[in-house]
Amino acid sequence: MLIYHMARAEDWQRHGPDGSYRGSRDDLRDGFIHFSTASHVEESARKHRAGEEGLLLLAVDADRLGPALRWEPSRGGQLFPHLYGPLPPDAVVWAQPLPVGPDGLHRFPPLAD
């Protein structure tokens, strides 16, 4: 199963390849890296990252994250994946720029579960 994370390109380029990526300032504050499923990631972008330039969308193989990945309730009791630890670079299936359209919303590539 693929799960998705929106990373600042500069943070991912600096820390992703060596396995020290621990997410955004919000992730560091919360103690885990926030992920979304394909059905939730666009809503998460609208709610938390609207208009933010310079993002990458990371598609991550959830099976490669082991027990550090936990599915926990969030909005309305829906389960969201949270990673307690750094993101292993070999779990990232692909990373693509996440451009912002003139309406301030991100333009997503086709996503798979």
Side-chain angles (χ1 to χ4, degrees):
M1 168 182 208
L2 291 180
I3 56 176
Y4 300 91
H5 175 72
M6 292 171 283
R8 289 181 181 88
E10 62 191 38
D11 293 343
W12 179 249
Q13 291 162 355
R14 186 178 310 122
H15 300 290
D18 69 9
S20 66
Y21 180 78
R22 292 187 172 270
S24 68
R25 288 181 293 271
D26 292 335
D27 295 329
L28 293 170
R29 178 198 67 220
D30 294 342
F32 54 83
I33 300 174
H34 293 263
F35 285 88
S36 296
T37 62
S39 62
H40 292 123
V41 70
E42 291 187 42
E43 178 185 346
S44 292
R46 280 191 299 276
K47 185 173 183 175
H48 301 290
R49 302 289 187 97
E52 187 174 343
E53 301 275 358
L55 295 179
L56 291 175
L57 182 64
L58 308 179
V60 176
D61 183 343
D63 294 334
R64 294 185 191 177
L65 299 177
L69 181 68
R70 300 181 198 154
W71 291 81
E72 299 176 316
S74 189
R75 296 179 223 139
Q78 296 180 50
L79 295 179
F80 279 78
H82 298 149
L83 181 64
Y84 288 84
L87 177 57
D90 65 343
V92 178
V93 176
W94 53 258
Q96 292 185 24
L98 198 54
V100 176
D103 58 0
L105 299 178
H106 293 90
R107 301 296 183 246
F108 283 81
L111 303 177
D113 289 328

